[in-house]
Amino acid sequence: MSAKKKRYARRLDENRQFIPFANTPNNLQKNTLGLDEFEALRLVDYEGYNQIDASTQMQVSRATIQRLLLSARKKVVDSLLTNKGIDITNEISNIKLKGENNMDIESKEIIKIAFPSSDKVTIDGHFGKTKEFAVYTIKETDVIAVNHIVPPPHVPGSIPSFLSNEDVDVIITGGMGQRAIQMFEHFGIDVILGAVGRIDVNLNEYLGGFLSSQDSTCNHGQQHEHEHNHEGCGNHDHNGTHEHCGDHDHKDKQ
């Protein structure tokens, strides 16, 4: 029998169990939802994704999303009709955490996570111009070491190679270009985009399974007269200007 394909989902901070008033834990029957079933419910029924977009989020077929929804909904309705409990497991043996490259890092006992930060507290939006990286060494969910390392001068490919030499497994940052993502993928480093604010908050969310990569790739379309081959890309504001992209300043043509 072939191995079950892993689905991409977010972990819970702990298992969830719901007990109806009509029963006590001693005689409780229950339906158990897997994390993939719960993720499908969350994406479609709670967050409002259609099935096609949900299948993209979980990296499975639409037919698989339909099967997960059918199974999960039937269990929930059965529990409501027959006074059974609902147990949502936090088992991730068939789950991969979300990232740009979705590397198989959850199987490693110790991982290293890098955050670009110029003040040792908050995440820089532009990793290519950061003064240093805060590198957290994690065993299971415990921080066992924190090191601050100064990157080399920013030229294409230098930072992915540098962090690879430091045995970094994940970089959590604001934004970057697609070429940079591919470079990190080449070195086996997973990328989490769209992170803002304090390092400790984002780290806790990542370890708890709540931090997933957002759409913060540098993709400026046809309005520019040149392509961007630089690693970094900062956050975009709502006026069409870009705070940082590559090693030069520019604005979109209006």
Side-chain angles (χ1 to χ4, degrees):
M1 182 180 294
S2 60
K4 185 177 181 180
K5 180 181 178 180
K6 289 193 173 186
R7 289 86 186 268
Y8 299 91
R10 291 161 286 185
R11 285 181 294 182
L12 299 167
D13 56 346
E14 60 183 0
N15 284 16
R16 297 289 202 280
Q17 187 176 68
F18 298 88
I19 302 173
F21 287 117
N23 282 305
T24 65
N26 292 331
N27 62 5
L28 180 67
Q29 291 182 298
K30 63 181 180 180
N31 285 303
T32 300
L33 270 69
L35 203 54
D36 52 354
E37 292 176 308
F38 180 69
E39 181 73 0
L41 278 182
R42 172 161 49 185
L43 287 170
V44 175
D45 294 342
Y46 183 73
E47 297 187 3
Y49 285 89
N50 61 44
Q51 292 183 10
I52 295 175
D53 290 339
S55 67
T56 300
Q57 289 281 329
M58 294 185 67
Q59 293 293 291
V60 296
S61 67
R62 184 178 180 183
T64 297
I65 286 290
Q66 291 174 335
R67 287 194 295 270
L68 290 172
L69 288 171
L70 179 63
S71 173
R73 288 166 176 169
K74 185 174 181 178
K75 291 175 182 178
V76 171
V77 173
D78 180 61
S79 291
L80 294 175
L81 289 175
T82 60
N83 281 323
K84 294 177 182 176
I86 300 174
D87 187 15
I88 305 173
T89 69
N90 209 20
E91 172 60 43
I92 61 169
S93 59
N94 69 321
I95 300 296
K96 295 187 79 173
L97 297 182
K98 290 183 177 180
E100 288 297 321
N101 305 311
N102 302 307
M103 299 299 173
D104 190 18
I105 61 172
E106 71 273 11
S107 62
K108 298 182 66 174
E109 182 180 5
I110 295 177
I111 65 171
K112 289 186 176 182
I113 304 174
F115 298 86
S117 179
S118 297
D119 61 7
K120 297 182 172 63
V121 176
T122 57
I123 299 174
D124 289 345
H126 186 277
F127 83 95
K129 292 186 177 180
T130 191
K131 294 180 179 178
E132 61 183 22
F133 283 89
V135 179
Y136 286 69
T137 302
I138 308 296
K139 183 175 183 180
E140 295 180 351
T141 58
D142 296 325
V143 177
I144 60 177
V146 181
N147 295 308
H148 295 90
I149 55 178
V150 178
H154 175 46
V155 295
S158 61
I159 292 180
S161 176
F162 169 71
L163 292 181
S164 175
N165 290 335
E166 296 290 334
D167 297 322
V168 167
D169 299 286
V170 184
I171 177 172
I172 298 178
T173 185
M176 68 173 64
Q178 188 60 45
R179 185 184 177 208
I181 293 173
Q182 294 170 353
M183 289 181 181
F184 278 106
E185 182 179 17
H186 171 76
F187 286 101
I189 299 174
D190 197 13
V191 178
I192 302 293
L193 299 180
V196 294
R198 293 180 59 91
I199 291 174
D200 56 355
V201 173
N202 283 271
L203 177 62
N204 288 334
E205 289 182 351
Y206 177 79
L207 296 177
F210 294 103
L211 186 67
S212 60
S213 189
Q214 306 300 315
D215 184 14
S216 294
T217 54
C218 187
N219 183 15
H220 306 328
Q222 302 299 318
Q223 290 183 310
H224 293 288
E225 296 178 335
H226 59 279
E227 295 180 354
H228 298 291
N229 291 323
H230 300 279
E231 292 176 69
C233 180
N235 297 325
H236 298 181
D237 65 24
H238 299 293
N239 296 318
T241 60
H242 305 281
E243 295 173 358
H244 299 290
C245 184
D247 291 331
H248 56 281
D249 296 328
H250 63 279
K251 293 185 179 179
D252 283 342
K253 293 182 178 179
Q254 300 299 322

